[in-house]
């Protein structure tokens, strides 16, 4: 069966649903459903977008896939607009494409719903105003990229038929799209405009600049009311609280959020390390003390401001790998949990039942106590990514039930699924003679008491996972000549199977470590997997 590009796919297997994918670099959209009386959050994930209810962060819809990656998201009360390449699509019921807007010659990078119209801006500086229902072009504006390279667009509240455009040169222009007239030009503040956001007050707009400055400006009288300066780089997103507190939040490229008091005209507090990458989207829920953020680190977070000092605390979140997964296995026999290790160094558990049961087990750490004290960005204490692991549910309530080996590390770490954290032991082979030896394969017995670890030097060792004590080795000196490619223990702890780079598969008595049988194969194995039920 071939796809649209003619690439042949699997006849037996088709994609069913994605797990652990929540957000990317595209800013999210928050909508209010009048009939449901509920706020919904829309985030882009590759060629589709996901819809969540803000109340519980439960996924309520997945859109049909577009041919290419979504580059921009926008929404009004009825439709969700998603652009890819030079096309703009309108989705109804968070799923089905009902309109296609075709007319741009280059990629679309800004979209703004505007009453009965939707406005799209492409990288060639062409602005097209579309009639939403007929999908016909209503107006087209072309700007000289050298003088006015459009970087932001918004509709000032109560300004009928008017849009405000910001440029990378720093200047702003107010246009009437019905009469096709330029009403006013603002000279700017000697820095490119990155964000335009309507303030709760009429005529007042917050302008985020590339130099980290935020200007709160009255566009009716062309008067600057206040300015703020953030030292974390360009402003990536701005939002205002609308529940009676005069607070403005501003995002940064390094994951920090600044909270500014508009009455006192000063920085009220900081939310450091809200995300590990640039803040892509940042929205205060209308009339509620809730702030929604998303970023390219594959995380959605909802913060609540209900404590003294105006500091936000994390209320709900959805978090996945921020880099590609390296190893994936089911945890337990019921098929409800999938453990995944990624290039970001973290281990996650994803539920196949509901996202609320998914959780992160965190990153491996060289010094767990010190890393906890230093905080999230303590990357120098992190262990390399996990390359393989094994897990067992039998005694996971009593002690650690997961064993993991890290990239080019001689020791293996234990993890606790119930407590969602790295465990108590780092299992390192005793009397290691070969320098540069590292763990290559692991397995855990079905009783949850023992782990078997294979090394790049050919050693295979057994440990008690509860105490971390070494319980013996297979072979006189080494089990194989060359790196171990796989280890497995049967369901009754009677036999251990090892596979090595020497093209041999060996069968050992688990307890006495005596070699029972050897099988010579023609090719070098890369891994082994034992079905214990057979």
């Amino acid at each position: 069966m071939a796809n649209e590009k003619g690439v042949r796919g699997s006849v037996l297997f088709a994609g069913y649903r994605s797990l652990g994918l929540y957000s990317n670099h595209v800013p999210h959209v928050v909508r209010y459903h009048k009939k449901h009386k509920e706020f919904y959050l829309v985030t882009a994930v590759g060629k589709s977008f996901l819809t969540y209810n803000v109340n519980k962060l439960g996924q309520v819809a997945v859109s049909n896939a577009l041919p290419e990656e979504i580059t921009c998201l926008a929404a009004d009360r009825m439709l969700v607009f998603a652009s890819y390449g030079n096309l703009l699509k309108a989705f109804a019921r968070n799923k089905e494409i009902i309109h296609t807007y075709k007319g741009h010659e280059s990629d679309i990078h800004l979209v703004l719903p505007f009453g009965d119209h939707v406005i799209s801006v492409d990288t060639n500086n062409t602005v097209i105003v579309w009639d939403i229902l007929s999908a016909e072009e209503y107006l087209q504006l072309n700007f000289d990229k050298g003088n006015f390279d459009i970087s932001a667009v918004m509709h000032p509240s109560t300004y009928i038929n008017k849009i405000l455009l910001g440029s990378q040169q720093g200047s702003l222009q107010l246009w009437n799209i019905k009469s096709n007239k330029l009403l006013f030009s603002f000279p700017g503040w000697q820095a490119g405009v990155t964000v335009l956001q309507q303030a709760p007050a009429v005529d007042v707009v917050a302008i985020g600049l590339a130099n980290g400055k935020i200007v709160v400006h009255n566009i009716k009288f062309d008067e600057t009311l206040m300015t703020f300066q953030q030292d974390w780089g360009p402003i990536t997103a701005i939002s205002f609280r609308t529940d009676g507190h005069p607070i403005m939040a501003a995002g940064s490229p390094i994951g920090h959020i600044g909270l500014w008091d508009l009455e006192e005209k000063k920085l009220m507090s900081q939310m450091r390390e809200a995300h590990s990458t640039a803040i892509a989207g940042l929205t205060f829920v209308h009339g509620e003390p809730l702030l929604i953020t998303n970023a390219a680190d594959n995380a959605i977070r909802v913060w609540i401001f209900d404590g003294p000092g105006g500091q936000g605390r994390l209320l709900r979140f959805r978090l996945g790998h921020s880099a590609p997964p390296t190893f994936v296995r089911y945890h337990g026999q019921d098929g409800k949990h999938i453990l995944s290790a990624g290039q970001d160094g973290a281990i996650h558990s994803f539920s196949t039942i509901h996202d609320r049961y998914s959780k992160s087990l965190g990153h491996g750490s060289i010094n767990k106590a010190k890393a906890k004290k230093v905080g999230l960005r303590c990357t120098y204490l992190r262990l390399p990514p996990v390359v393989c692991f094994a897990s067992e549910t039998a005694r996971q309530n009593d002690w650690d039930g997961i064993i993991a080996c890290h990239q080019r590390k001689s020791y293996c770490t234990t993890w606790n699924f119930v407590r969602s954290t790295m465990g108590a032991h780092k299992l390192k082979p005793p009397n290691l003679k070969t320098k540069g030896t590292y763990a290559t394969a692991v397995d855990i017995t079905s009783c949850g008491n023992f782990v078997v670890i294979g090394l790049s030097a050919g050693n295979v060792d057994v440990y008690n996972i509860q105490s971390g004590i070494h319980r013996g080795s297979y072979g006189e000196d080494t089990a194989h000549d060359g790196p171990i490619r796989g280890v497995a223990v049967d369901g009754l702890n009677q036999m251990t199977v090892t596979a090595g780079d020497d093209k041999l598969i060996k069968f050992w008595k688990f307890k006495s470590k005596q070699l029972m049988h050897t099988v010579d194969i023609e090719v070098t194995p890369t891994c082994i997997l034992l079905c214990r039920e057979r």
Side-chain angles (χ1 to χ4, degrees), residues 184-380:
F184 195 78
S185 291
F186 302 88
W189 293 267
Q190 289 81 46
V193 176
T194 57
V195 184
L196 290 173
Q197 180 63 40
Q198 174 70 51
V202 179
D203 304 321
V204 178
V205 173
I207 303 153
L209 303 178
N211 61 2
K213 186 180 284 187
I214 306 162
V215 179
V216 181
H217 196 74
N218 187 311
I219 58 173
K220 184 176 181 180
F221 300 108
D222 189 18
E223 179 185 349
T224 298
L225 304 179
M226 59 192 86
T227 60
F228 304 106
Q229 180 68 48
Q230 285 190 180
D231 299 327
W232 304 319
I235 304 300
T236 58
I238 295 174
S239 188
F240 291 88
R241 282 183 72 171
T242 53
D243 61 336
H245 296 266
I247 305 298
M248 176 183 70
S252 70
I254 58 173
H256 301 338
I257 298 171
L259 297 169
W260 300 89
D261 190 318
L262 300 176
E263 275 188 356
E264 301 288 334
K265 298 183 181 180
K266 66 178 184 181
L267 182 68
M268 185 183 74
S269 63
Q270 302 174 30
M271 295 167 62
R272 287 184 170 265
E273 300 163 355
H275 288 269
S276 60
T277 58
I279 305 293
L282 180 140
T283 309
F284 276 110
V285 178
H286 185 75
E288 296 184 32
L290 298 177
L291 176 67
I292 302 170
T293 61
N294 82 298
D297 60 355
N298 194 20
I300 303 167
R301 291 186 168 94
V302 179
W303 312 81
I304 186 167
F305 295 81
D306 58 352
Q311 186 72 31
R313 65 177 175 88
L314 191 59
L315 179 65
R316 284 181 287 273
F317 65 92
R318 294 285 178 263
L319 176 66
H321 286 295
S322 57
T326 55
F327 199 81
V328 180
R329 287 289 184 271
Y330 275 103
H331 180 63
Q333 300 300 315
D334 55 7
K336 292 181 180 179
H337 298 281
I338 293 176
L339 282 175
S340 170
Q343 289 178 12
D344 55 357
I347 296 179
H348 287 266
S349 168
F350 298 115
S351 170
T352 58
I353 306 300
H354 195 280
D355 275 337
R356 69 171 172 266
Y357 302 120
S358 298
K359 59 183 180 179
S360 171
L361 276 67
H363 293 80
S365 178
I366 297 168
N367 186 326
K368 192 176 172 184
K370 188 176 179 182
K372 193 174 182 181
K373 193 179 290 185
V374 175
L376 180 70
R377 290 189 180 271
C378 180
T379 53
Y380 68 92

Side-chain angles (χ1 to χ4, degrees), residues 348-426:
H348 287 266
S349 168
F350 298 115
S351 170
T352 58
I353 306 300
H354 195 280
D355 275 337
R356 69 171 172 266
Y357 302 120
S358 298
K359 59 183 180 179
S360 171
L361 276 67
H363 293 80
S365 178
I366 297 168
N367 186 326
K368 192 176 172 184
K370 188 176 179 182
K372 193 174 182 181
K373 193 179 290 185
V374 175
L376 180 70
R377 290 189 180 271
C378 180
T379 53
Y380 68 92
L381 287 173
R382 283 184 186 174
L383 284 170
V386 172
V387 290
C388 71
F389 60 78
S391 69
E392 182 54 58
T393 58
R395 302 301 294 268
Q396 68 177 11
N397 291 313
D398 302 316
W399 51 73
D400 300 339
I402 301 168
I403 180 73
C405 68
H406 298 261
Q407 194 172 42
R408 304 195 77 82
K409 282 288 181 182
S410 60
Y411 56 81
C412 292
T413 54
T414 61
W415 297 72
N416 194 297
F417 182 83
V418 176
R419 291 191 289 115
S420 306
T421 182
M422 190 175 127
H425 304 297
K426 289 186 176 72

Side-chain angles (χ1 to χ4, degrees), residues 62 66 75 89 197 247 254-255 274 330 358 382 440 461 516 529:
V62 181
L66 293 170
K89 303 277 186 178
Q197 180 63 40
I247 305 298
I254 58 173
Y330 275 103
S358 298
R382 283 184 186 174
T440 55
D461 298 288
M516 296 164 54
L529 192 61

